[in-house]
Amino acid sequence: MPDQPHAPNTEPLTPPGISIAQFRDAGKQLVDFIADYWQSLAAVGDPSSPTAPPTTPSPHHPVAFAMPVCSTAAPGDLLRALPEACPESPEPWDAIMRDVPALIMPGITHWQHPSFFGFFPANASPAAILGELLSAGLGVQGMLWSTSPACTELEMRVLDWLAKLIDLPRDMLHEPGDARPSPGGSVIMGTASEGTLVALVAARHRSRAATTTSNPTSSPRAHVVYTSTQAHSSVIKAAMIAGLCAGPDATPADPSIIAPAPDGSHVRLVPTLPDLSMDAAALARFIDADILAGRVPIAVVATVGTTGTMAIDDVDAIGRVCQEHDVWLHVDAAFAGCAAVCPEFRWMLHARAPGALARVDSLGFNPHKWLLTNFDCHCFYTRDRAALTGALSITPEYLRNAASDAGRVIDYRDWQVPLGRRFRALKLWFVLRSVGAAGLREYIRSHVRMGEVFESLVRSDARFEVTHPRELSMVCFAPRPRQGELLADVNTRARKLLTQVNATGSAFLTHTVVPCSGGETGSRFVLRLAIGGTLTREVHVRSAWQTIAAALSKH
Ligand code: PLP
């Protein structure tokens, strides 16, 4: 029987859920909602502002003036308010949106609040948000160059722009500016944690390749990764994932060793100098001892701007040790690396030594922390792209295509852990173009000036002390011990102070615990005021200080 011709479908094509026409309106409303939210936050601390929000939240003013920085939701609050099963039938868009202020906003900690001083900031900005929206709107998955050439090439170009802004060595650029192909390059990943993981597997790949070449019959030996006692926990986590250590829980006989994996590989925690930066001489001793014991040192992770106190590892001295032993050096500059857009703060990354970065194999920093680009955006640079792709590349038939086979393009899937990837470069491009290099420098400098103001306020009150030298915009401080006061008691007062300040809801700070300095034993509980919010101004820093000083008066 001949095929019946299909009747032409006259229905307009529409995706499930809201239609494209509805999206046009709902999208505008959502942008208004976000703009109102930002205006509310920008008006905090400025009651004279014409945009000063009302005192109770509404769909148009999702944050009320009196709303605490940190969500006061109790565990399970939202879970109890949400149905246990997905709706069977479609719900009207208005009903869904009504639940945003009613259900979601109470459980939001306002990371974009100008008085958010905890952890490190998670920057965002209107330009970046639009980039994120465009990325979602285009719905691109850029695993291969051929799956959206613009996704790969925009990323290469904006990363080269940033590399030039922070004065990275030419070997880390995609286009070094001379005729030769670049040995290195860069990639946008989600987080610094991913960057460190990729660095470790690249380091292991390079080390194995070198060992096999020099001695093809050699038997596998334990690998060692070194980082300082002050490094971010993501270094140990990356080593755990890579099978380079078993994890921090096993009780070590030697506290500097993070439990060996079954093959003996482990992480070695290098002690620090009094300023809490890695002791490069101790690192050299560890490496020598490990080589003597038949182990293979593969990587050192240095930190420029530790999370606890913003300590700066000496990349020059560490790089020399790494070079001598052919060990991969990765620099984690998650927050502080952003400040290198300003020539006066560049020394942290460059270690005040011309050429220091020539001994660095990879480094990364997070524009999502301090360069106005919303989470997630980690910029990872390497001078050895072959080690990355050697460690991470695997090509099933279904990913093969002419451009990749010809070797003329970068396929970023080979530079990262996942296969798929978002078009993150758009938001960075929007930020870099709409703010400009001079704007970025001024943005960083304004926060550093606020850090200076806060430091001087702390120093002006004899009841407090600045516990660590301020670097950039982060101030570490604590109540000054009273005459004869035990360390445990001053730590209890510091902890209580932090709880009281955060309970006011008008500012949010976090803490760290660090070894005491000056030959004293024990650890100190230290408050950290990390300045870097997109909307933070001096008025918020001064107001946070008033809250802190008033809270201590109640002790
Ligand atoms: N490294 C440092 C120095 C950090 O301060 C942080 C987080 O604050 C990280 C790594 C982890 O960052 P991410 O969330 O991007 O993995």
Side-chain angles (χ1 to χ4, degrees), residues 120 190-194 232 234 303 305-307 332-335 366 368-369 375 378:
F120 282 134
T191 63
S193 306
E194 288 168 64
H232 193 266
S234 52
T303 314
T306 60
T307 318
D332 171 7
F335 177 77
N366 289 354
H368 71 233
K369 282 187 165 43
F375 191 86
H378 171 71

Side-chain angles (χ1 to χ4, degrees), residues 23-63:
F23 169 77
R24 203 177 286 283
D25 292 335
K28 286 170 188 154
Q29 276 170 22
L30 188 60
V31 169
D32 279 344
F33 179 89
I34 297 168
D36 287 341
Y37 178 64
W38 275 69
Q39 243 163 18
S40 299
L41 294 172
V44 171
D46 186 4
S48 65
S49 159
T51 56
T55 47
T56 47
S58 73
H60 290 291
H61 283 287
V63 172

Side-chain angles (χ1 to χ4, degrees), residues 137 146 245 384:
S146 59
C245 77
D384 188 353

Side-chain angles (χ1 to χ4, degrees), residues 185-202:
S186 50
V187 53
I188 303 180
M189 298 180 192
T191 63
S193 306
E194 288 168 64
T196 301
L197 174 59
V198 165
L200 292 190
V201 296

